[in-house]
Amino acid sequence: MDSSRFLSASVTELKPSGIRKFFDLAASMEGVISLGVGEPDFVTSWSVREACILSLEKGHTAYSANAGLMELREEISFYLDRKFHVNYEAEREILVTVGASQALDLALRTIINPGDEVIIPEPCFVAYGPLVKLAGGIPVYVSSNSNNGFKTLPGQIEKAITQNTKAVLICSPSNPTGSMLSRKDFEKISNIIKQHDLLAISDEIYAELSYDEEFTSLASLEGMRERTITISGFSKGFAMTGWRLGFAAAPAPLLQAMLKIHQYSMMCAPTMSQHAALEALRNGEEDVQRMKTDYRRRRNYFVRSLNEAGFPCQTPGGAFYAFPSIEYSGLSSEEFAEQLLLEEKVAVVPGIVFGSSGEGFVRCSYASSLSQLEEALKRMASFMKRRQHAGAQWKTLQDF
Amino acid sequence: MKLNEKETEVLEILEENSRLSIDSIAKMAGISFEETEQIIHKLEREKVIIDYAATIDWRKVEGHEGVTAMIDVKVAPKRGVGFDEIAERVYRFKEVQSVYLMSGAYDLSVVIEGRSMSEVARFVSEKLSTLDSVLSTTTHFILKKYKHDGRIFETGEEDKRMVVTP
């Protein structure tokens, strides 16, 4: 019997992540230098790990409240106010989730009716579109390009709005491009969102990793708090990926609706991770700044070296990704990533997996040691030289 | 000496890894090669950068298992020069790695490195203790170094991440 006939239509239609396919190939090889990782190379700060151990020693192994430990929600509320100037009430407007991914899933499932459209600027995180579809909605992608630093233009968002549009999902700093929207960019976008009476979902998971200008939280802009669901978590800024701890902040009617789904599906986030997160928020600022300084230096080094090696790349304002062009190789981004992996054992992620406007680019994470980056750059440069050489021969042959 | 932002940045990068090339430092700090070179020369000239040293785990090198001892020294300070004169006499010995003036139960903390325990013992009994101002010494031998100058010796810090993640 073919058990696949039991699958739901929405899951059957869902394509596997483009990264997953590439991951299988990379995982089968040894000695690969990886620029394919979307996570910090720092281990979670010792004081945070130690706080978790202490919580276990004290026997804090039971469920927490559905919305999360009250003292953690209070701490998140202080944190959002202190750092990003947005004010959320701990008791009714903050929800602790299993990673920012779950917060995003909850937000989409809470607001989408079948057929509702969600506008998503791309290239974007691979999960956005599938999560909208799983919630019964339709993702409407708005492309951006390198000429404007992969920033979504407000006009493009406006053009994509139809009577079915429910929300706009924005991520800044962006995965995969690292591009960052300025306060002015956000103001323009928020005006459109307000004019058309839409909701905003703001994925702020990389907020702590903005290097050149101050991060703007969408909900801090005038008139946006009541129509924004803010999503964030501890994975990136606090180097806590494996702890699976995120949070959502939104006006009470939205947040309480999200809580309903959360209490039936997840119950609560892991209690020990919540205790660790408490320590991270209370005493982790210095570690966050130390890691951020390190990423900024690596970004400067990596992006300048990429440009020197023949990979045109804009300086990303945040996150830990560079998104260089591989156009001169004459290969598609998938071909480039696959051949680079097979010939030089360097793993990068093809830009196409983040949306059609990612074609011609690859995502490189610079959350790796400087010596690894140096070696990867050397290999990428030698790969590119060979390609250019091959390209030149091809051109000569065409001339005949 | 007041340093500007770029000079401080270069110093921090060098403190982390003094073997980096000027080119790499320039890229990391986001400034030109020439400017980086000038900053480093200036800081060397002004003795802000005192030396470029490596942290070495000598236990791993055959025939180089040295001995490190920390010695608490009580001294009688002299009028006019306080502890400075005796400190200078102590730090000039090549066996002495560092000398600190301390608050509390003793005055100078002296770190000695020698090839063997007997060599360190000989230094303490023959050279350090016999100095005029030295009243007493207490020697502590270091049995194992776990962390030194901010560096963890046995790191085991291999990358545990997957090769590709979303």
Side-chain angles (χ1 to χ4, degrees), chain B:
Chain B
M1 176 178 189
K2 197 169 167 58
L3 301 184
N4 64 34
E5 212 175 291
K6 289 294 167 199
E7 289 167 337
T8 310
E9 180 99 355
V10 168
L11 273 186
E12 285 175 4
I13 294 169
L14 272 174
E15 191 180 31
E16 186 63 33
N17 182 356
S18 61
R19 288 198 70 215
L20 289 173
S21 67
I22 293 178
D23 183 51
S24 296
I25 297 168
K27 282 176 180 166
M28 289 171 82
I31 50 180
S32 70
F33 183 93
E34 291 73 22
E35 194 183 349
T36 310
E37 207 170 33
Q38 277 170 13
I39 288 174
I40 292 174
H41 283 159
K42 176 189 160 187
L43 295 171
E44 285 172 347
R45 215 172 37 243
E46 301 287 342
K47 293 279 180 202
V48 175
I49 297 172
I50 295 166
D51 199 1
Y52 298 93
T55 305
I56 294 163
D57 190 351
W58 283 110
R59 289 170 314 153
K60 291 184 175 156
V61 183
E62 213 177 297
H64 282 80
E65 299 89 351
V67 173
T68 308
M70 300 176 81
I71 304 162
D72 310 339
V73 186
K74 283 186 185 167
V75 300
K78 283 189 179 167
R79 187 187 292 266
V81 289
F83 294 98
D84 294 351
E85 188 187 77
I86 179 69
E88 189 176 337
R89 287 190 67 185
V90 173
Y91 70 59
R92 288 197 182 283
F93 287 111
K94 68 170 175 41
E95 295 88 340
V96 174
Q97 297 303 307
S98 52
V99 178
Y100 308 106
L101 180 62
M102 309 294 287
S103 65
Y106 56 94
D107 305 304
L108 296 179
S109 173
V110 179
V111 178
I112 308 281
E113 276 189 15
R115 274 178 297 221
S116 62
M117 281 175 82
S118 59
E119 188 179 289
V120 172
R122 203 163 47 244
F123 175 80
V124 175
S125 61
E126 291 176 10
K127 294 182 177 164
L128 192 60
S129 306
T130 55
L131 292 172
D132 274 355
S133 315
V134 171
L135 302 174
S136 71
T137 62
T138 309
T139 304
H140 313 276
F141 285 102
I142 290 176
L143 302 180
K144 186 174 179 180
K145 283 183 188 168
Y146 294 100
K147 190 175 182 182
H148 179 74
D149 279 353
R151 314 279 165 161
I152 295 168
F153 270 46
E154 294 293 343
T155 57
E157 277 173 0
E158 85 260 34
D159 197 341
K160 293 187 180 73
R161 298 174 300 170
M162 293 188 284
V163 179
V164 177
T165 57

